Amino acid sequence: MEILAGGMDKYFERTGIKATKTWEGEVIGGEVYQVWNMEQKEFEKLVDTTDESYKSDEWWRSADSSNKGTAAVEYILNGKKIKAWDGAKREDYDEEEDEIFEREYESLTRYFCDEIGCSQPRNVVALATDLAAQNGMTMAELFETYETKDPCEACHNALQCLVWSGEGMKAECDNWGYFEQNYVNGPKRAILDAELAEIKED
């Protein structure tokens, strides 16, 4: 069972409810969202807790799905493809007369807000739960893929980091652990290898 939340770390410590934080990140507006995963019996304990047990910055929402139907339109969110929904503003869109609105947004929550018109957590969790299921992923994977910014993507030193890693050296960078996990030993290694090969050819 996944929930969308904010500031729930200490709450779970206080109450003893067992939950695993599977994603955390800043969304549009600067708020920090979390995704937590838990067993059904632990979720039932959470549902039974009283409002008085929460601090002012602790909240969570859950949903089974949304009322949006089939996600059948291709969008680009955070630079990656996803099947999603068109918003109501496109119903009155005349492709020949109106300005073209690209189906591309900087992040998942920007898409929810600007395309679908939803920014409140209770609506976001319904959309995220449904969109994740229809794209064959968990809600944590959805936010990780379409909300989280890659700290190395726009860094001018990324190629140099790859060279250093090949020589057994590490960059003095706060993101080195992320770079090593994803670009040196992970799925993004091919990206920089290709760029490095292109430079050598030149």
Side-chain angles (χ1 to χ4, degrees):
M1 180 72 196
E2 287 184 301
I3 64 169
L4 185 67
M8 288 292 283
D9 305 75
K10 293 189 182 303
Y11 182 85
F12 289 129
E13 289 179 14
R14 288 198 312 272
T15 61
I17 294 175
K18 296 185 175 86
T20 302
K21 184 164 59 176
T22 51
W23 181 82
E24 181 176 271
E26 186 176 306
V27 301
I28 59 168
E31 189 172 359
V32 175
Y33 277 9
Q34 302 172 332
V35 176
W36 292 81
N37 189 44
M38 65 190 70
E39 298 291 335
Q40 184 63 33
K41 63 179 181 179
E42 299 299 318
F43 177 69
E44 290 170 4
K45 292 178 188 177
L46 182 63
V47 170
D48 289 339
T49 56
T50 62
D51 291 342
E52 291 75 17
S53 65
Y54 294 92
K55 304 290 185 184
S56 60
D57 59 343
E58 298 171 340
W59 62 270
W60 66 273
R61 300 287 186 275
S62 70
D64 293 326
S65 188
S66 75
N67 61 357
K68 294 295 294 180
T70 301
V73 184
E74 186 174 281
Y75 275 78
I76 304 293
L77 308 181
N78 197 22
K80 305 168 190 75
K81 294 179 181 179
I82 188 174
K83 290 294 185 182
W85 309 282
D86 278 342
K89 69 179 183 181
R90 294 187 190 273
E91 293 179 4
D92 299 324
Y93 170 66
D94 186 322
E95 190 169 349
E96 294 183 358
E97 297 181 4
D98 296 341
E99 179 184 354
I100 294 177
F101 292 98
E102 298 292 341
R103 289 182 170 88
E104 183 171 354
Y105 291 92
E106 66 184 72
S107 68
L108 178 70
T109 51
R110 176 60 68 188
Y111 158 76
F112 285 156
C113 182
D114 292 356
E115 180 72 27
I116 307 300
C118 293
S119 59
Q120 294 300 311
R122 66 178 179 275
N123 298 323
V124 169
V125 70
L127 293 170
T129 300
D130 195 358
L131 202 59
Q134 293 200 49
N135 283 276
M137 58 180 65
T138 65
M139 185 160 58
E141 290 170 337
L142 181 78
F143 276 94
E144 177 64 37
T145 304
Y146 299 104
E147 189 73 27
T148 301
K149 298 301 179 186
D150 187 332
C152 301
E153 203 166 78
C155 179
H156 298 301
N157 295 323
L159 282 173
Q160 183 63 62
C161 288
L162 186 62
V163 172
W164 283 337
S165 70
E167 297 174 355
M169 297 187 292
K170 295 183 178 181
E172 293 182 5
C173 175
D174 292 339
N175 297 319
W176 175 258
Y178 176 89
F179 179 83
E180 191 171 34
Q181 180 180 352
N182 289 276
Y183 285 93
V184 178
N185 303 315
K188 297 188 176 185
R189 174 62 184 259
I191 297 173
L192 290 185
D193 275 344
E195 291 186 26
L196 197 60
E198 187 175 328
I199 290 174
K200 288 180 179 179
E201 287 178 4
D202 293 341

